[in-house]
Amino acid sequence: GEMITLLTSMNTLVKEAQKAGHSHLEAEVLASCKARYQTILQAGWQANPPDPPDTTPKRGRRKQSATRNLLHRLDTHQEAVLLFLERFDVPFDNSQAERDIRMLKVQQKVSGGFRTLPGAQAFCRIRGYLSTLRKQGASLLTALELALAGHPISPAF
């Protein structure tokens, strides 16, 4: 709960800094956020110690709790988790990326996959083109009509 609160408050700080016209957070604020992140991680590790070793020998790694797995990922990938604090062009969440691949997964689920590799490539090319134009605010119907007439809109980079 504390980590969720911290991450959402960090996101709010970044949004406020962007609204104020800043391109980055002040060094003291950034250091404070990272220190608080580390403090919460350490408290999480202390509150979730590893299970005592099993007396029966088993092969492979020991299974850990979901909480310890999450702590491990938050600790190991701290730079990636907090990158939105240092680079304002990095989004706080990955919702857009999930929305971009959703149609592909729906297509696979409905039809059971693609019959040919060229068909899958064409589907992905069209979806990527439309997704890019949607993000740039272009009219999708107009873009499709122009593309089919041989005059595709070139997305801006």
Side-chain angles (χ1 to χ4, degrees):
E2 288 180 53
M3 185 62 81
I4 291 171
T5 303
L6 175 65
L7 289 171
T8 54
S9 68
M10 287 177 180
N11 187 35
T12 303
L13 282 173
V14 168
K15 286 181 181 178
E16 288 172 357
Q18 285 175 320
K19 284 180 184 174
H22 300 292
S23 61
H24 61 278
L25 291 176
E26 294 178 14
E28 302 84 35
V29 173
L30 185 61
S32 172
C33 288
K34 288 183 176 184
R36 181 73 181 129
Y37 184 89
Q38 278 298 324
T39 302
I40 292 173
L41 270 181
Q42 292 306 317
W45 284 119
Q46 290 174 357
N48 296 284
D51 294 331
D54 244 350
T55 55
T56 57
K58 293 183 182 167
R59 296 172 63 171
R61 289 187 346 180
R62 286 191 354 207
K63 185 176 179 181
Q64 294 192 83
S65 69
T67 305
R68 284 191 61 82
N69 286 334
L70 177 60
L71 283 167
H72 177 70
R73 282 191 299 273
L74 288 173
D75 199 5
T76 305
H77 303 289
Q78 177 178 347
E79 281 186 37
V81 172
L82 299 179
L83 188 59
F84 74 98
L85 288 174
E86 296 177 31
R87 291 189 39 204
F88 286 2
D89 61 326
V90 174
F92 174 68
D93 60 13
N94 64 348
S95 296
Q96 184 61 51
E98 291 172 357
R99 282 191 293 274
D100 286 344
I101 65 169
R102 178 167 172 67
M103 184 50 71
L104 176 64
K105 300 308 285 179
V106 169
Q107 171 68 19
Q108 286 178 331
K109 184 178 177 182
V110 169
S111 68
F114 294 95
R115 291 181 182 241
T116 64
L117 180 59
Q121 290 171 333
F123 178 85
C124 290
R125 187 170 291 129
I126 293 166
R127 290 295 305 170
Y129 178 70
L130 293 176
S131 176
T132 301
L133 290 176
R134 181 182 301 116
K135 291 173 192 170
Q136 294 180 1
S139 168
L140 298 185
L141 184 58
T142 304
L144 281 174
E145 289 172 346
L146 288 171
L148 292 173
H151 307 290
I153 296 173
S154 182
F157 291 103

